[in-house]
Amino acid sequence: MEDNNPISPSGSQTQNPDGNSPSDNDVSVDALARKVQESLSLAKRHKFWETQPVGQFKDLGDSSLPEGPIEPPTPLSEVKQEPYNLPNLYEWITCDMDSDEMCSEVYNLLSNNYVEDDENMFRFNYSKEFLRWALRPPGYFKSWHIGVRAKSSKKLVAFITGVPARIRTRDSVVNMAEINFLCVHKKLRSKRLAPVMIKEVTRRVHLENIWQAAYTAGVVLPTPISTCQYWHRSLNPKKLIDVGFSRLGARMTMSRTIKLYKLPDSTATPGFRKMEPHDVPAVTRLLRKYLSQFLVAPDFDEDDVEHWLLPKVGVVDSYLVESPETHEITDFCSFYTLPSSILGNQNYSTLKAAYSYYNVSTTTPLLQLMNDALIVAKQKDYDVFNALDVMQNESFLKELKFGPGDGKLHYYLYNYRINHIMRPSELGLVLL
């Protein structure tokens, strides 16, 4: 299980346990079937994933297969008790994210070796505060934060994580692990560490009696439940063009481009304000009702909403609309902060990006709500606002001048079958 989020219009790349190159994916079954035939004929089979309880390409379109768990749980006494073997020079460690020293080691590994775009111009730069937020939700297991050290130098050379989540698929709420941050040091990419790391995090998840997982990747593996696309909305177009994130349009000047993307100075919606701790119950109700319409979505309770959506400086921002008359909370929007390092540019070192998270519109039109979100992001000096075409996001993307990126993000479930490939609009889940 691995994670990858496209970070620029030029797409992105991550390490693939099978060593296959990234490729785009059409959501139609026919296109996927053709892709399978091509890959089989080229002997590019997914050797690792074919051994795992995941949807297999050969089963696409077979409606006779039951939805739900692919394999039943193993008795806990039969789950492997010892860690998987690593190459001799390396050892497993559990990464204590409460420790400043450990958190810095993880930060340094990711900031130097994690996801880059195809042209090696940008690399994700998750902050330490973000990592602690992402990895310590309610009920998290320290044992699921897994590192690999070089025995001689004690240097952290690889990392993978899981956090617990309740994910609803149709009418069933399933305890799952969300797998993320699979990262192997650039110099060790030929050592085939990724499959053994995936097996080890799976083993540790099983030890907690959890048998399903969710994850995303920028590459096509067996078999996506949905394929989504990132869209990008320029907030600081001059900087984005200067660093090569975007290009000046045909017959466009820089001044016309800046004018095109200019936003109002203040938000338009009466009662639009920052979320506060006392709003958690109302936001939870709003979110639960909204997410119930999607085929796959998180099953959030108040503790989850408090953790994931209460504003944290430099990590996550949440705003809501409180009716000036009734004081009812009617609408909600949120985005998280994920900067990228700009590689090899003399003038800029960081691209400040906001990523659309969960948004609920009941009274304020979603278009207006998201325009207000863009305005506050611009006020906070973000350079770009990114959004996936999940949930109802497609309804505002073009109108609010988002442009499509090149990269795709594929969603996967481990040991859980869904019989049809979902449209992004049927998906109510955002993984960090």
Side-chain angles (χ1 to χ4, degrees), residues 22-36 38 57 60 218-221 223-229 389 406-412 420-424:
S23 61
D24 268 1
N25 176 35
D26 195 297
V27 295
S28 78
V29 173
D30 290 343
L32 263 171
R34 278 199 309 276
K35 196 173 289 296
V36 179
E38 288 163 17
F57 288 130
L60 274 173
V219 291
V220 179
L221 306 169
T223 297
I225 60 163
S226 190
T227 290
C228 306
Q229 183 164 28
D389 54 355
D406 291 343
K408 296 284 201 295
L409 187 67
H410 309 285
Y411 276 74
Y412 300 91
H420 79 286
I421 295 173
M422 300 182 332
R423 296 188 301 276

Side-chain angles (χ1 to χ4, degrees), residues 114-131:
Y114 201 42
V115 179
E116 293 182 14
D117 67 300
D118 283 343
E119 278 85 40
N120 309 114
M121 295 167 67
F122 308 97
R123 186 189 304 126
F124 277 156
N125 189 0
Y126 289 92
S127 68
K128 293 175 198 175
E129 296 75 24
F130 188 104
L131 291 170

Side-chain angles (χ1 to χ4, degrees), residues 93-106 131-132 135-136 140-147 149 156 159 204:
I93 61 163
T94 297
C95 298
D96 179 4
M97 298 305 290
D98 294 331
S99 152
D100 288 342
E101 191 180 354
M102 188 76 250
C103 196
S104 293
E105 283 190 75
V106 169
L131 291 170
R132 284 186 158 142
L135 295 177
R136 300 188 303 174
Y140 77 96
F141 300 98
K142 282 186 180 178
S143 61
W144 294 6
H145 304 157
I146 304 169
R149 275 201 200 287
L156 185 70
F159 187 60
R204 296 191 192 194

Side-chain angles (χ1 to χ4, degrees), residues 248-375:
L248 207 54
R251 297 184 296 282
M252 285 291 281
T253 62
M254 185 66 82
S255 59
R256 282 176 67 192
T257 303
I258 291 168
K259 190 175 176 184
L260 174 69
Y261 290 113
K262 186 167 171 45
L263 287 157
D265 293 329
S266 54
T267 56
T269 308
F272 185 89
R273 64 168 174 82
K274 191 172 167 179
M275 180 186 176
E276 296 171 6
H278 65 85
D279 298 315
V280 166
V283 169
T284 305
R285 286 193 297 273
L286 203 61
L287 199 55
R288 285 183 66 85
K289 185 175 181 186
Y290 175 71
L291 291 175
S292 68
Q293 68 187 289
F294 302 105
L295 289 184
V296 172
D299 182 59
F300 282 145
D301 63 19
E302 288 186 12
D303 289 341
D304 299 316
V305 167
E306 182 177 333
H307 176 82
W308 292 119
L309 293 167
L310 258 188
K312 282 184 178 56
V313 176
V315 174
V316 62
D317 286 90
S318 298
Y319 293 85
L320 48 78
V321 179
E322 179 182 354
S323 163
E325 293 81 34
T326 65
H327 299 291
E328 184 190 356
I329 307 300
T330 57
D331 311 276
F332 174 82
C333 61
S334 58
F335 54 88
Y336 59 86
T337 301
L338 174 45
S340 286
S341 301
I342 300 170
L343 309 177
N345 188 288
Q346 294 180 329
N347 300 320
Y348 300 102
S349 59
T350 303
L351 189 74
K352 190 175 177 185
Y355 283 73
S356 176
Y357 201 19
Y358 288 97
N359 312 302
V360 184
S361 149
T362 67
T363 304
T364 307
L366 186 57
L367 196 74
Q368 180 177 318
L369 187 70
M370 294 310 297
N371 201 52
D372 282 347
L374 292 175
I375 291 165

Side-chain angles (χ1 to χ4, degrees), residues 22-253:
S23 61
D24 268 1
N25 176 35
D26 195 297
V27 295
S28 78
V29 173
D30 290 343
L32 263 171
R34 278 199 309 276
K35 196 173 289 296
V36 179
Q37 293 309 316
E38 288 163 17
S39 63
L40 290 179
S41 63
L42 294 168
K44 276 189 174 178
R45 298 180 63 181
H46 293 279
K47 290 186 179 66
F48 172 73
W49 290 104
E50 283 181 356
T51 67
Q52 302 298 303
V54 295
Q56 297 297 336
F57 288 130
K58 63 182 173 57
D59 297 329
L60 274 173
D62 184 349
S63 55
S64 68
L65 292 168
E67 288 208 340
I70 295 169
E71 289 181 353
T74 309
L76 283 180
S77 58
E78 292 176 23
V79 175
K80 184 173 158 59
Q81 298 298 305
E82 298 301 316
Y84 283 89
N85 290 331
L86 282 168
N88 273 344
L89 299 174
Y90 306 100
E91 62 187 2
W92 295 111
I93 61 163
T94 297
C95 298
D96 179 4
M97 298 305 290
D98 294 331
S99 152
D100 288 342
E101 191 180 354
M102 188 76 250
C103 196
S104 293
E105 283 190 75
V106 169
Y107 168 79
N108 288 330
L109 175 72
L110 293 175
S111 62
N112 290 310
N113 298 279
Y114 201 42
V115 179
E116 293 182 14
D117 67 300
D118 283 343
E119 278 85 40
N120 309 114
M121 295 167 67
F122 308 97
R123 186 189 304 126
F124 277 156
N125 189 0
Y126 289 92
S127 68
K128 293 175 198 175
E129 296 75 24
F130 188 104
L131 291 170
R132 284 186 158 142
W133 170 69
L135 295 177
R136 300 188 303 174
Y140 77 96
F141 300 98
K142 282 186 180 178
S143 61
W144 294 6
H145 304 157
I146 304 169
V148 175
R149 275 201 200 287
K151 286 180 182 173
S152 57
S153 66
K154 298 298 178 193
K155 187 180 171 73
L156 185 70
V157 296
F159 187 60
I160 191 170
T161 68
V163 295
R166 290 182 317 284
I167 309 280
R168 181 185 52 74
T169 61
R170 298 196 197 274
D171 299 324
S172 303
V173 176
V174 183
N175 287 323
M176 293 196 191
E178 290 179 358
I179 304 299
N180 205 340
F181 300 113
L182 170 57
C183 178
V184 176
H185 194 285
K186 287 178 176 180
K187 290 182 178 174
L188 300 178
R189 299 270 163 97
S190 62
K191 302 283 186 199
R192 304 244 348 127
L193 281 175
V196 75
M197 293 175 71
I198 293 165
K199 289 199 288 192
E200 179 59 19
V201 74
T202 304
R203 184 188 74 83
R204 296 191 192 194
V205 168
H206 287 168
L207 285 171
E208 303 299 341
N209 202 23
I210 293 176
W211 305 91
Q212 276 73 35
Y215 51 106
T216 57
V219 291
V220 179
L221 306 169
T223 297
I225 60 163
S226 190
T227 290
C228 306
Q229 183 164 28
Y230 266 110
W231 290 65
H232 310 276
R233 206 296 183 178
S234 294
L235 300 177
N236 186 349
K238 183 179 187 310
K239 178 176 172 181
L240 295 180
I241 290 166
D242 286 349
V243 302
F245 183 93
S246 44
R247 288 174 287 280
L248 207 54
R251 297 184 296 282
M252 285 291 281
T253 62

